[in-house]
Amino acid sequence: MSQFPQQPNDGPLAGVKVVEFAGLGPGPFAAMLLADAGADVIRIDRPTGPVDGGALTRGRPWLGLDLKAPADLDTARALVRRADVLVEGFRPGVMERLGLGPHDCRADNPRLVYGRMTGWGQDGPRAREAGHDINYLALTGALRSIARRGQAPVPPLNLVGDYGGGGMLLAFGIVTALLERHRSGRGQVVDAAMVDGVSLLMTGIWSRAAQGRWSGEPGTNDIDTGAPFYDVYATADGEYMAVGSIEPQFWARLLQGLGLDPEALPDQWDRGRWPETKEAVAAAFATRTRAEWTEVFASLDACVTPVLSLAEAPLDAHLRARRTLEQRPDGPQPAAAPRLDRTPLQAGRAATVDEAFRRWGVSLTAGAR
């Protein structure tokens, strides 16, 4: 028997029916989060096959439909009429041209929560422009803030825009709209834009700037590699250690582990001499391998950890103990999160389309496979 449950599971969103119109990145991620939480999700994709795959499509079956074909469009509409939630990630106007926009769908299903995922949002001068994660970070100030001093900005993969400021924001908006529906009995449109989400994720930095605690020059602040106590350092074997020794007690333990005399170094918060202090810390780390430093700091509680690769992360003792990553036939996948003690989330395998249609009470047309 498979260790992964079949959908739908009995998580906190059990009984919630979701129609996902397939896209890339943040939309599928939001749908995955809903499915992990127990929602019964059907993914409508192109007839030729899924546009995305892997972990992002787990926990729900996909149905190939040509939305320009009347019979397939009728199938999609039948699903939407029975759904609690719709998830789509097209440019503004695309769903409306298909006859599947909020006005059309909510005319048949006033309780529908209509989740829209875009980069720029449903309105504004750039609303209909193309873009990717890096573009949304660029206009919000986030990308310019992620750089070492005097160097070019570094795109933080596509974690901040697509997933943190995109998919998670959409999933949060959908759940809040579902909760409100219990009071009003009505659905609503969730306009989740990555520029909005990225800006929300930058709240702490905006707060620091307002308080005069953030320099506009990247790589000179306490958490952007400017400080000696918050950076990564190369080890003797070409690997790296991550240092987050911000508080004074952790800074003291960092110096203890490195064998550095605090009296011989500038004060921890002497910003003008941070480059000098960083040189001393870097020179110390360069004397031993990552494994040796990992052992040194294992019992010091100094906020110092090894920097692991994707291949090494599943082998980490802490991640293994918490089962943070699950082993699947196609490789490790992140486990469902966060953890609820009474109605836990589960990263399940998808049921078949036929099973899903039986639960929804919809007939599968000849053109929908």
Side-chain angles (χ1 to χ4, degrees):
M1 180 179 294
S2 171
Q3 60 177 313
F4 302 108
Q6 299 292 319
Q7 285 288 5
N9 64 47
D10 57 357
L13 294 184
V16 174
K17 291 182 171 61
V18 180
V19 176
E20 171 197 0
F21 287 85
L24 296 172
F29 183 59
M32 185 200 81
L33 295 176
L34 299 176
D36 285 355
D40 191 354
V41 184
I42 295 178
R43 176 181 168 95
I44 295 178
D45 217 317
R46 61 184 64 183
T48 54
V51 299
D52 207 341
L56 285 175
T57 59
R58 73 188 184 196
R60 64 254 196 220
W62 74 272
L63 173 67
L65 293 180
D66 179 0
L67 295 177
K68 295 182 180 179
D72 284 8
L73 183 59
D74 286 344
T75 299
R77 285 172 172 160
L79 289 170
V80 172
R81 282 195 293 271
R82 290 162 174 78
D84 297 289
V85 176
L86 182 152
V87 173
E88 65 96 1
F90 302 115
R91 293 196 209 185
V94 171
M95 291 293 279
E96 283 81 355
R97 289 194 293 273
L98 291 168
L100 292 168
H103 177 78
D104 296 308
C105 292
R106 292 165 67 197
D108 293 332
N109 183 358
R111 290 173 54 82
L112 181 69
V113 172
Y114 198 107
R116 316 199 78 168
M117 181 76 259
T118 60
W120 305 115
Q122 296 299 313
D123 53 26
R126 292 184 180 269
R128 296 179 184 273
E129 288 185 11
H132 281 294
D133 183 291
I134 192 171
N135 306 118
Y136 313 132
L137 268 65
L139 259 64
T140 57
L143 184 59
R144 189 66 186 93
S145 302
I146 305 173
R148 293 187 177 277
R149 187 172 189 173
Q151 296 185 17
V154 177
L157 304 181
N158 63 335
L159 305 179
V160 180
D162 280 350
Y163 298 109
M168 281 193 177
L169 182 73
L170 176 59
F172 171 71
I174 286 170
V175 171
T176 59
L178 286 172
L179 288 171
E180 191 279 337
R181 193 181 69 175
H182 285 292
R183 181 171 67 249
S184 68
R186 296 184 298 162
Q188 57 186 304
V189 175
V190 179
D191 174 5
M194 283 178 252
V195 289
D196 299 343
V198 170
S199 295
L200 276 174
L201 294 175
M202 288 285 287
T203 298
I205 303 304
W206 282 111
S207 178
R208 285 169 180 253
Q211 297 168 16
R213 298 190 297 116
W214 190 260
S215 165
E217 183 181 358
T220 64
N221 297 285
D222 55 352
I223 57 170
D224 67 353
T225 74
F229 48 78
Y230 203 90
D231 205 346
V232 294
Y233 292 95
T235 55
D237 54 347
E239 297 294 338
Y240 296 91
M241 296 293 290
V243 173
S245 307
I246 300 174
E247 291 79 5
Q249 67 272 27
F250 301 138
W251 174 246
R253 293 169 192 161
L254 168 68
L255 299 184
Q256 175 189 342
L258 292 175
L260 295 175
D261 181 4
E263 298 298 324
L265 293 174
D267 180 79
Q268 178 187 355
W269 286 94
D270 187 343
R271 290 175 176 261
R273 299 181 69 183
W274 275 355
E276 174 187 340
T277 306
K278 287 188 75 169
E279 287 184 8
V281 173
F285 270 115
T287 62
R288 298 189 187 185
T289 65
R290 186 187 66 179
E292 291 172 325
W293 285 123
T294 299
E295 184 175 354
V296 167
F297 286 102
S299 59
L300 281 180
D301 196 23
C303 301
V304 178
T305 50
V307 177
L308 303 182
S309 68
L310 286 178
E312 294 170 319
L315 306 177
D316 178 74
H318 183 78
L319 300 188
R320 286 168 62 90
R322 284 187 59 82
R323 298 179 181 175
T324 298
L325 297 168
E326 295 179 340
Q327 289 295 330
R328 298 236 178 165
D330 56 350
Q333 287 187 14
R339 304 187 181 196
L340 280 64
D341 69 341
R342 191 167 49 79
T343 56
L345 281 61
Q346 303 177 58
R349 290 192 184 280
T352 66
V353 171
D354 297 283
E355 291 169 336
F357 268 56
R358 282 196 294 270
R359 289 196 303 270
W360 286 49
V362 175
S363 297
L364 185 59
T365 65
R369 288 289 183 264

